[in-house]
Amino acid sequence: MSGKRSLIRSGTTVDQMVRAIGDRIVTGYLRPGEKLDETSLAARFDVSRTPVREALGQLSAMGLVERRPNRGAIVAVVTQEHLASMFESMAELEAICARFSAERMTSSERRGLEIEHQGSARMVQLGAEEDYEYFNTEFHSRLYRGAHNTHIHDLTVMTRSRLAPFRRAQFMLPGRLAKSWQEHDLIVTAILRGDGAAAGKAARDHVSIVSEASAVFAVGDQPKAASTTPVTAD
Amino acid sequence: MSGKRSLIRSGTTVDQMVRAIGDRIVTGYLRPGEKLDETSLAARFDVSRTPVREALGQLSAMGLVERRPNRGAIVAVVTQEHLASMFESMAELEAICARFSAERMTSSERRGLEIEHQGSARMVQLGAEEDYEYFNTEFHSRLYRGAHNTHIHDLTVMTRSRLAPFRRAQFMLPGRLAKSWQEHDLIVTAILRGDGAAAGKAARDHVSIVSEASAVFAVGDQPKAASTTPVTAD
DNA sequence: CTTGAGGCAATTGCATGCACTTTTTGCCTT
DNA sequence: AAGGCAAAAAGTGCATGCAATTGCCTCAAG
């Protein structure tokens, strides 16, 4: 452990801890059920236990960690049932965003969406999963913003974060990339012609398919203990 | 410490603080923009600053309070725009719950919903706002639970909490009670016949109307400074 | 009278310490 | 040998203390 905390960005120490720990959960570096020891985390990030505690509290409020009184915190473990409910919610939230986007996006937003979407076609041809993932994220973010409703935006982003650990490997399924793009295309087309209902349906279907694709991995992922280090240590 | 903190219930001190402060915000006892001084709050509840700080952090993560680094915390102040976005989200969330309820409620849930709904008719006749409010809350909770989706349930309850301060006075509008019941009736009828689309639409319309009714008060409420009287009609 | 710099009081942010709860370990009993 | 109990170890929960930042007030200069 190095002495400085320059690894993490700006803000108060608590915010840094929230981001640091939250990121590790969202990226799957910390696995569901894994114990989050205050002392170890404090030592790991070279801060005292206080900001770590506060961070765990906030992450708990966000649903990313689970806190048992006097018994420590663990990375939130989601049951199959709860996972399904989150995916279903995600589908509905995306449907709302797509519907609103179809009705409300400015013409420059529409243009941006289409350009980026067309740009991502290239990644599909090249089979560049990593790059496509970037476009994919951006695509969905555009939908959330395009809804012009900050609260829906927040709810959606939040839900998406919590699902992130389970969506990780979806694009590794053969042919998933191209299918994803086609699904996006349906959404874009509907939005561009202002058809809210169709956009909503297309978005809902899209997420539902992702859900099924991810569930495969989620099941196999769940009971597995932490083995090798997926992401390199910092 | 002068031993008694019996005003508040069980759980850890932090949880008590979260509930205590959160309640005061949700019930409108603490007004948007009001300063939340750690020391005062700690003294007020006879605890140290630490649990108060943690509570403020969690409430901040929930969106109920706003935290400026090194500049203290205030009760989250919602702009008209954000308020509108929350009401709109609420309408969509309730629509989802109603739709799912229509499709998924067990027969005993359906029976319970109808019985309680019919029971509330009495409150309308008597013009008992307070009592009706209880039935109203219970009615909506049944919808949220009936959706059989814990995540949607959580999102909806959360959004509802954040809107609570602004819904407070809605039933004081003349005739609102009877109209509310009729709107509920539309929802119940649709659910009982399993018509998800109709239930969703009815629920969305219901919230939209509440939104408009509440907006009246919200506008007048917003710029007003904190005074001793919680809800005064001007 | 306005404006700006400097210092002071108040408040936040974090570290540390202590008490209490849970968990583990080792010994004793059956 | 297995089960249970007790004491110790570990870890959480809260309080307090101190450094750092902010905002305010004063006072002087223009």
Side-chain angles (χ1 to χ4, degrees):
Chain A
M1 279 161 269
S2 58
K4 283 291 159 64
R5 57 182 89 146
S6 51
L7 301 170
I8 318 148
R9 311 243 168 87
S10 62
T12 71
T13 307
V14 174
D15 288 345
Q16 293 172 11
M17 298 325 290
V18 170
R19 278 198 298 273
I21 301 172
D23 277 359
R24 282 167 171 72
I25 294 174
V26 165
T27 59
Y29 180 76
L30 292 170
R31 303 259 177 131
E34 195 164 340
K35 202 157 153 300
L36 295 171
D37 180 56
E38 295 179 3
T39 312
S40 316
L41 287 171
R44 167 76 183 74
F45 293 110
D46 191 28
V47 296
S48 83
R49 278 179 49 225
T50 307
V52 172
R53 275 186 65 75
E54 287 193 36
L56 290 177
Q58 296 191 31
L59 290 166
S60 165
M62 297 189 234
L64 279 177
V65 325
E66 212 169 306
R67 244 185 167 183
R68 294 96 37 101
N70 284 311
R71 301 189 56 228
I74 58 174
V75 177
V77 52
V78 287
T79 63
Q80 277 302 319
E81 190 188 345
H82 191 205
L83 183 64
S85 93
M86 286 198 290
F87 268 117
E88 189 177 65
S89 305
M90 194 67 205
E92 295 297 328
L93 290 169
E94 294 246 11
I96 294 170
C97 289
R99 172 156 51 88
F100 284 175
S101 287
E103 294 165 359
R104 302 176 180 176
M105 269 188 164
T106 65
S107 50
S108 87
E109 282 174 324
R110 287 169 205 275
R111 224 175 303 128
L113 181 72
E114 183 171 24
I115 290 172
E116 183 127 336
H117 170 59
Q118 294 302 340
S120 73
R122 187 156 188 73
M123 304 305 128
V124 178
Q125 292 168 354
L126 299 174
E129 276 97 357
E130 289 290 323
D131 295 321
Y132 184 78
E133 174 56 23
Y134 169 80
F135 277 94
N136 181 53
T137 303
E138 179 61 21
F139 176 83
H140 285 276
S141 295
R142 280 175 190 269
L143 254 49
Y144 309 158
R145 289 197 301 271
H148 292 197
N149 179 310
T150 56
H151 191 69
I152 282 279
H153 178 275
D154 294 347
L155 294 180
T156 309
V157 167
M158 197 173 115
T159 301
R160 189 179 173 85
S161 299
R162 292 192 55 183
L163 282 173
F166 304 98
R167 297 184 325 114
R168 191 129 315 263
Q170 58 166 305
F171 289 123
M172 297 173 79
L173 290 177
R176 184 74 202 96
L177 223 59
K179 269 194 213 131
S180 169
W181 191 88
Q182 284 162 14
E183 288 159 18
H184 283 196
D185 200 56
L186 281 178
I187 300 173
V188 171
T189 306
I191 287 179
L192 290 183
R193 68 169 193 270
D195 187 342
K201 181 179 179 346
R204 182 172 11 238
D205 292 346
H206 175 50
V207 178
S208 297
I209 292 170
V210 172
S211 159
E212 284 157 30
S214 303
V216 179
F217 289 88
V219 182
D221 240 359
Q222 199 79 322
K224 206 149 195 170
S227 55
T228 50
T229 50
V231 187
T232 45
D234 353 338
Chain B
M1 296 141 279
S2 55
K4 67 162 184 183
R5 56 186 73 150
S6 52
L7 297 172
I8 318 139
R9 309 253 168 87
S10 62
T12 72
T13 307
V14 174
D15 287 345
Q16 292 172 11
M17 293 293 106
V18 170
R19 277 199 297 274
I21 301 172
D23 277 359
R24 274 154 226 265
I25 294 174
V26 165
T27 60
Y29 181 77
L30 290 171
R31 302 262 178 132
E34 195 164 339
K35 199 156 164 301
L36 295 170
D37 179 56
E38 294 178 3
T39 312
S40 317
L41 286 171
R44 166 77 185 75
F45 292 111
D46 191 28
V47 296
S48 82
R49 279 178 48 225
T50 307
V52 172
R53 274 186 66 76
E54 286 193 36
L56 290 177
Q58 295 192 32
L59 291 166
S60 165
M62 297 189 235
L64 279 178
V65 326
E66 212 170 304
R67 248 187 163 179
R68 293 97 34 102
N70 284 313
R71 300 190 58 231
I74 58 173
V75 178
V77 54
V78 285
T79 62
Q80 277 303 317
E81 191 189 344
H82 192 204
L83 184 64
S85 93
M86 285 198 290
F87 267 117
E88 189 178 64
S89 306
M90 193 68 204
E92 295 298 328
L93 289 168
E94 293 247 8
I96 294 171
C97 288
R99 171 156 52 88
F100 284 176
S101 286
E103 295 165 358
R104 302 175 181 178
M105 269 188 164
T106 66
S107 49
S108 87
E109 282 174 323
R110 287 168 204 275
R111 224 176 301 129
L113 181 71
E114 183 172 24
I115 289 172
E116 184 127 335
H117 171 59
Q118 294 302 340
S120 73
R122 188 155 187 73
M123 305 305 127
V124 179
Q125 292 167 353
L126 299 173
E129 277 96 358
E130 291 288 323
D131 295 322
Y132 184 79
E133 173 57 24
Y134 169 80
F135 277 94
N136 181 53
T137 302
E138 179 62 20
F139 176 83
H140 285 276
S141 296
R142 280 174 191 269
L143 254 48
Y144 309 157
R145 289 196 302 272
H148 293 198
N149 179 312
T150 54
H151 192 68
I152 281 280
H153 178 276
D154 294 346
L155 294 180
T156 310
V157 167
M158 197 174 116
T159 301
R160 189 177 173 85
S161 299
R162 293 192 55 182
L163 282 173
F166 305 96
R167 298 184 325 115
R168 193 133 312 266
Q170 60 165 304
F171 288 124
M172 299 173 79
L173 291 177
R176 184 75 200 95
L177 222 61
K179 269 194 213 128
S180 169
W181 192 89
Q182 284 162 13
E183 290 158 17
H184 283 195
D185 201 57
L186 280 177
I187 300 172
V188 170
T189 307
I191 288 178
L192 288 183
R193 69 168 191 270
D195 186 342
K201 181 180 180 340
R204 182 171 12 234
D205 292 347
H206 176 50
V207 177
S208 298
I209 292 170
V210 171
S211 159
E212 283 157 30
S214 303
V216 179
F217 290 89
V219 180
D221 239 2
Q222 200 78 325
K224 203 147 197 173
S227 68
T228 40
T229 49
V231 183
T232 30
D234 325 41

